[in-house]
Amino acid sequence: MRNLVVLIPEGFYVNYFVYSTGDLQPPADESYQLQRKGRIRSRDSSASSDDIRSLMDDYRPKTVAIRVLYGGERFRKPALYDRSILPALEELVPDSPLHIPPAIRLIKTLERAVPVPDMLLLFETAFFVDLPIQERTYALDIESAEISDGALDGIRRFGYHGLYHEAAYRRISRQYKEAARVISICLEPVPEVVGIYDGRPVYVSGGSTPMEGIPGNTTCGEIDPGIVLLIEEKKKLGPETINEMLTRNSGLTAVAGQQVTIEDIFEDEEKYKAARDLLEYRVLLSCGAAIALMGGYDAMVFSGKYGHAAEKLSKWLTARLAGSTRHKARQGTRTAIVGEESKPVLYVRDPLDRIIAADYCRLAEGANV
Amino acid sequence: MDIGPGDLTTMNIFVLNCGSSSLKYGMISMPAGEEILSGEVQRIGAKTAEASRIVHRVSGREETYPIKAGSYKEAFSEATRIVEKDMSFPPDVFAHRLVQGGAEFRDNTLITRREFPLLEKIRDLAPIHNPPVIELINECDARYPEIPQAVILDTAFHSTIPEYAYTYPLPEGIRDELGIRKYGFHGISHQYVSEAAAEFLGIAPERFNAVSCHLGSGGASLCVVAGGKSADNSMGFSPLQGLVMSTRCGDLDPAVVLKMIAYTGGDYSKVDKILNRKSGVLGLSGISSDIRDVIRRAAGTEDERSRTTLDVYLSRIKKYLGAYMTVVGNADAVIFTDTIGESVPYVRELVCRNMDYFGIRLDKWKNRTATGLPADISSSGSEAHILVVRTNEEAAIAKRAYELLSRRETYGHISPADVGLVGPDGSESAFHENGEGANEKLSRLDS
């Protein structure tokens, strides 16, 4: 029996999941057994190194799969770690100063384990590297010397739940082979809508960071860029404090007036009506945009941890997309009807660690990982 | 006297429409909506490379006068001097276009000296557009104290946008303190063209649903029109949000704005200038802020940067059109208007391409030959009409000003909804005082 350890860094913690990998027979993702899960505080790096090493000692995994939030344009697929990867990761630090350094520390800790496990790095942004140029480009002159000598070089749109979306797409195309145009909605604390055409994302609500797009539990989502300037002008808070406000104190929590999650706002219909109306509306707008870029859609798939919310949201959404006015025209006028018939909707309920375990299994089948 | 809105005597409304360095004016005879004369003072300001001038149009002639116009006050004075050669001045009413009315001015209103302090509160809300308007309102009052003045707002049409669409999910404290919400813009134009489109199609305005695309050579926005009312607009708190515009970036990750503020050492005004004046089509293409130049270049050469610019520009419009068609659900029409929307068939064709899902099918030949506006350029199989409608801001402003006066005539007094004035705390207490002011000036109009 060989073990796989999945590591998902999240804020001040590293969540770990120990799987026994069985015989790697397809469908391997179902033959995997979760043995143990937990979290390690990663703020204090020396203590966390000890915890990681004792985890390695206990399970001696052949492979550790690490979720990395950002991989820039360099990482367009999962990467098996070798020494050449470290400099490439270090180059990404300025783009993602909060997420890359802890990932590097984690890798360095694992390198000192005995025996050294194989390390598989899975990047959330990899799915989005080949977004069409019109979708990834902001209407800025980023090479202009005026903005601090190219400090914004490489600013482009990505997307931040690539692992969920890819798995969701794989699932739906297995079940509905004819579904070429898929709307994939990931309901996590920072939700994301993606339009996938023939396996390739052509629309994504997320931006160069996860701040843009659909408002989340505490993240603001898309706002008028002028508002950021206004807040700085009037309050002189500085970028760090404003960043804190927009990522930790905004979103659905700010609308509800108390700490809420997406799951909460679909539980109490009356109490959180304002927050739910806003979320539903923003997801609807995103779906419309995705449909415009794909020329229609064939199926919809939900993923992410808020499964109950997904069911309720999907009912509302598909009703709106199918158009409340099926009865065509009024006398003498023509009326556009959005959507013709109901389309398949699928829910992927796997948590991210299981998705990563399945990714590992798939890769291990294809190559000698 | 008991008279309805249609029974008012003819009046001449002088419309003043301030741009960032220009002043458009027009004398409109209402209720006919007939333009007696119009013109534009160009290059207003102390530091312009070329001299200021007035392009004046009357009875089919166009005349150009070199003038000195260091300020809007001077520009106004020069314009009135030229207008006076053609007709008696002052007019019956002055109507000013106001881009951003904030919380103080939510609806079109008649304004008197009593409301002038409220104007000061909105001066900074649109730092380029509002100060010249305030200057002109003061000037009209100083020179023609007996003539009523109407303020017609770009934001008024959007006051019906629902809460879930106008709310930015930021902490309530900062929203309230800084008045952060979606206001929307181009409302005068969106309302005007959607009324014209409804009339063209023979649909009652209150049953008319559409997506209106105001594609200007400068600013641009899309608007959801549901039951004749605005239900969303792609511009937001400021005109910076939404589409890719001539020099504005439109939608942008707020984190990128924060990075830019950090990199410039907190110089938000520099970032403001970059995002408002050096981004958009200009920033992307590096050659021109006019999408028509980019189209020519992209078609004639292998210039990749121009092609990317065009793709980003069109893709953003398509995304909003799809989003808004989904919101409307049963659109009678898609409307194209303003400079680019009216005169660039290529943009209309590409925006409407592959939009069958939304019931949008464009007839290429009709599209290319659309000259007499309004024109329907949809193919016979299209479920939504696709209309090209000429916008006319001056006529639209005059129409709204006339409505204000008619409403007052009908009901004999100004209601809070007419005046649209509320106290700084949102109460109506401030209104009574202000409302009386408006009535006073109107009684002078009666006499």
Side-chain angles (χ1 to χ4, degrees):
Chain A
M1 191 73 87
R2 289 178 301 179
N3 290 321
L4 168 72
V5 171
V6 176
L7 297 179
I8 303 179
E10 201 173 64
F12 296 138
Y13 295 93
V14 176
N15 297 310
Y16 65 84
F17 305 85
V18 182
Y19 282 88
S20 62
T21 58
D23 303 328
L24 290 181
Q25 290 304 318
D29 46 329
E30 279 147 39
S31 72
Y32 278 34
Q33 295 296 318
L34 181 62
Q35 300 293 303
R36 182 180 153 194
K37 67 175 185 176
R39 56 177 17 186
I40 293 168
R41 261 190 90 87
S42 62
R43 196 180 208 174
D44 177 353
S45 58
S46 67
S48 79
S49 311
D50 293 345
D51 289 344
I52 298 272
R53 272 202 296 272
S54 71
L55 186 69
M56 294 298 112
D57 288 344
D58 289 351
Y59 293 94
R60 299 192 173 260
K62 180 174 186 303
T63 306
V64 176
I66 305 166
R67 193 282 296 259
V68 186
L69 196 71
Y70 180 81
E73 292 188 332
R74 164 72 174 73
F75 295 100
R76 44 183 66 233
K77 56 184 187 193
L80 193 60
Y81 179 78
D82 64 40
R83 279 260 126 163
S84 72
I85 281 179
L86 205 57
L89 282 176
E90 273 159 0
E91 275 179 34
L92 298 177
V93 171
D95 291 345
S96 187
L98 291 179
H99 298 106
I100 296 296
I104 292 174
R105 277 204 303 278
L106 193 56
I107 289 166
K108 287 183 171 165
T109 304
L110 291 168
E111 270 190 314
R112 290 195 296 274
V114 185
V116 182
D118 292 340
M119 285 180 257
L120 180 66
L121 309 181
L122 298 107
F123 299 90
E124 292 283 14
T125 49
F127 187 51
F128 301 105
V129 171
D130 289 326
L131 271 178
I133 192 163
Q134 64 270 23
E135 183 61 9
R136 66 174 190 248
T137 307
Y138 289 112
L140 298 174
D141 184 5
I142 53 172
E143 279 154 34
S144 146
E146 221 170 338
I147 319 167
S148 79
D149 302 324
L152 291 180
D153 273 9
I155 287 277
R156 49 156 284 179
R157 187 187 298 281
F158 276 101
Y160 281 87
H161 288 301
L163 299 175
Y164 269 123
H165 290 297
E166 215 175 344
Y169 179 77
R170 197 172 293 123
R171 195 74 58 87
I172 206 159
S173 52
R174 205 157 61 204
Q175 199 158 336
Y176 301 97
K177 290 197 169 49
E178 70 289 358
R181 301 166 300 180
V182 173
I183 297 173
S184 173
I185 300 174
C186 178
L187 292 185
E188 282 276 296
V190 181
E192 190 169 79
V193 177
V194 175
I196 305 171
Y197 196 140
D198 277 338
R200 180 191 182 194
V202 294
Y203 167 84
V204 57
S205 61
S208 88
T209 72
M211 200 192 277
E212 195 180 356
I214 313 283
N217 291 349
T218 60
T219 51
C220 63
E222 175 84 55
I223 59 172
D224 187 332
I227 292 172
V228 182
L229 295 171
L230 175 87
I231 294 173
E232 175 59 17
E233 183 191 341
K234 300 291 182 197
K235 307 296 288 179
K236 303 278 191 304
L237 297 172
E240 288 81 12
T241 308
I242 298 175
N243 184 55
E244 185 84 5
M245 179 198 290
L246 299 183
T247 50
R248 299 204 192 283
N249 303 318
S250 295
L252 303 167
T253 288
V255 177
Q258 65 184 96
Q259 199 73 34
V260 290
T261 67
I262 289 174
E263 204 80 324
D264 296 337
I265 64 170
F266 283 91
E267 291 301 319
D268 194 327
E269 304 254 321
E270 278 314 300
K271 196 168 170 194
Y272 303 124
K273 188 174 185 305
R276 199 181 59 254
D277 284 350
L278 188 138
L279 179 73
E280 286 175 338
Y281 184 68
R282 296 288 289 271
V283 172
L284 181 71
L285 289 176
S286 260
C287 288
I291 291 168
L293 295 188
M294 298 191 295
Y297 84 105
D298 304 312
M300 184 181 285
V301 59
F302 286 85
S303 59
K305 68 164 77 156
Y306 300 131
H308 294 296
E311 278 171 36
K312 290 185 176 163
L313 175 62
S314 75
K315 283 198 187 81
W316 181 88
L317 202 55
T318 47
R320 284 297 299 261
L321 289 174
S324 48
T325 50
R326 291 293 304 278
H327 46 280
K328 266 203 167 175
R330 298 187 286 268
Q331 207 73 38
T333 65
R334 291 180 291 172
T335 298
I337 293 158
V338 171
E340 295 295 327
E341 74 267 12
S342 62
K343 320 262 182 179
V345 179
L346 204 69
Y347 306 92
V348 172
R349 299 183 199 280
D350 288 348
L352 187 59
D353 54 283
R354 183 159 279 280
I355 284 170
I356 290 172
D359 282 344
Y360 162 74
C361 179
R362 212 168 25 80
L363 291 163
E365 277 171 27
N368 188 24
V369 172
Chain B
M1 190 163 64
D2 186 25
I3 50 170
D7 303 315
L8 276 179
T9 37
T10 304
M11 61 173 78
N12 290 336
I13 299 182
F14 194 60
V15 173
L16 293 158
N17 183 358
C18 291
S20 50
S21 66
S22 68
L23 169 64
K24 287 187 195 164
Y25 59 85
M27 186 74 80
I28 316 287
S29 169
M30 291 305 289
E34 179 196 333
E35 182 183 292
I36 300 166
L37 55 80
S38 66
E40 183 174 5
V41 190
Q42 297 169 340
R43 295 191 286 269
I44 301 168
K47 287 177 287 181
T48 48
E50 292 174 81
S52 310
R53 60 177 195 173
I54 293 183
V55 180
H56 182 72
R57 290 177 294 271
V58 60
S59 349
R61 306 193 305 278
E62 188 172 287
E63 296 149 353
T64 303
Y65 302 89
I67 53 144
K68 193 177 149 297
S71 67
Y72 279 81
K73 196 171 143 179
E74 269 182 13
F76 174 68
S77 166
E78 292 292 324
T80 54
R81 215 166 42 81
I82 289 163
V83 171
E84 275 170 345
K85 291 182 189 168
D86 296 315
M87 63 186 299
S88 71
F89 203 84
D92 299 309
V93 182
F94 287 110
H96 303 268
R97 174 198 180 209
L98 191 62
V99 168
Q100 167 62 291
E104 283 75 17
F105 295 87
R106 290 189 189 158
D107 205 351
N108 300 333
T109 183
L110 293 158
I111 187 167
T112 67
R113 263 175 225 177
R114 293 186 196 205
E115 289 88 59
F116 286 3
L118 287 175
L119 287 172
E120 292 309 316
K121 291 191 174 180
I122 60 158
R123 182 182 284 275
D124 291 342
L125 272 180
I128 296 169
H129 288 97
N130 283 359
V133 179
I134 297 170
E135 191 178 327
L136 288 187
I137 291 172
N138 280 302
E139 182 63 7
C140 287
D141 184 70
R143 284 178 55 181
Y144 311 103
E146 74 287 4
I147 306 296
Q149 300 196 60
V151 174
I152 307 302
L153 296 153
D154 256 318
T155 45
F157 183 52
H158 300 304
S159 63
T160 46
I161 292 177
E163 187 180 350
Y164 52 76
Y166 75 63
T167 303
Y168 290 103
L170 303 179
E172 202 175 355
I174 198 106
R175 266 187 277 155
D176 290 349
E177 183 186 342
L178 301 181
I180 295 172
R181 55 162 282 169
K182 182 187 283 264
Y183 290 104
F185 297 88
H186 293 141
I188 293 166
S189 174
H190 286 302
Q191 184 176 11
Y192 183 78
V193 296
S194 51
E195 284 172 0
E199 193 185 332
F200 179 74
L201 296 174
I203 299 172
E206 67 277 9
R207 292 202 299 134
F208 183 64
N209 300 320
V211 176
S212 167
C213 311
H214 176 107
L215 306 178
S217 54
S221 76
L222 260 61
C223 180
V224 177
V225 179
K229 294 185 161 70
S230 170
D232 205 349
N233 181 247
S234 60
M235 283 180 167
F237 170 81
S238 78
L240 191 51
Q241 196 177 1
L243 302 176
V244 176
M245 293 169 247
S246 61
T247 60
R248 292 189 203 117
C249 60
D251 290 343
L252 179 64
D253 189 334
V256 173
V257 186
L258 289 175
K259 276 183 194 167
M260 292 174 81
I261 292 173
Y263 286 137
T264 55
D267 192 349
Y268 56 84
S269 62
K270 185 177 175 185
V271 179
D272 187 306
K273 196 173 144 210
I274 291 167
L275 297 182
N276 270 297
R277 304 201 172 182
K278 302 199 164 179
S279 298
V281 173
L282 178 64
L284 277 170
S285 73
I287 53 162
S288 172
S289 60
D290 193 324
I291 195 68
R292 290 167 290 190
D293 294 336
V294 175
I295 292 170
R296 276 190 285 274
R297 184 110 167 201
T301 64
E302 291 295 303
D303 182 356
E304 214 166 293
R305 196 166 166 186
S306 294
R307 285 195 175 174
T308 302
T309 304
L310 186 56
D311 285 347
V312 176
Y313 174 86
L314 292 169
S315 175
R316 190 80 58 86
I317 300 173
K318 281 182 90 95
K319 285 204 273 184
Y320 270 102
L321 180 56
Y324 284 180
M325 286 299 281
T326 310
V327 171
V328 173
N330 55 347
D332 299 300
V334 175
I335 304 165
F336 287 96
T337 192
D338 210 29
T339 312
I340 305 298
E342 291 166 28
S343 69
V344 188
Y346 179 81
V347 167
R348 296 193 297 258
E349 184 181 327
L350 271 88
V351 166
C352 293
R353 181 181 285 176
N354 202 15
M355 296 288 254
D356 291 47
Y357 175 90
F358 301 104
I360 298 171
R361 282 173 213 89
L362 177 138
D363 183 310
K364 285 186 187 179
W365 188 80
K366 284 189 202 161
N367 181 42
R368 282 180 208 147
T369 54
T371 43
L373 303 185
D376 190 342
I377 57 169
S378 56
S379 72
S380 54
S382 183
E383 283 149 34
H385 295 275
I386 306 170
L387 303 179
V388 186
V389 179
R390 180 157 293 140
T391 193
N392 182 337
E393 277 192 321
E394 285 70 41
I397 293 164
K399 192 175 171 186
R400 300 280 94 88
Y402 185 74
E403 273 173 9
L404 275 178
L405 295 158
S406 326
R407 260 189 277 173
R408 186 262 163 194
E409 289 294 331
T410 309
Y411 301 110
H413 69 282
I414 304 283
S415 74
D418 288 335
V419 181
L421 293 170
V422 284
D425 55 350
S427 73
E428 285 186 9
S429 57
F431 151 72
H432 295 292
E433 205 185 319
N434 296 324
E436 279 166 25
N439 274 323
E440 247 166 57
K441 192 159 260 188
L442 273 164
S443 37
R444 267 183 250 129
L445 183 72
D446 290 341
S447 56

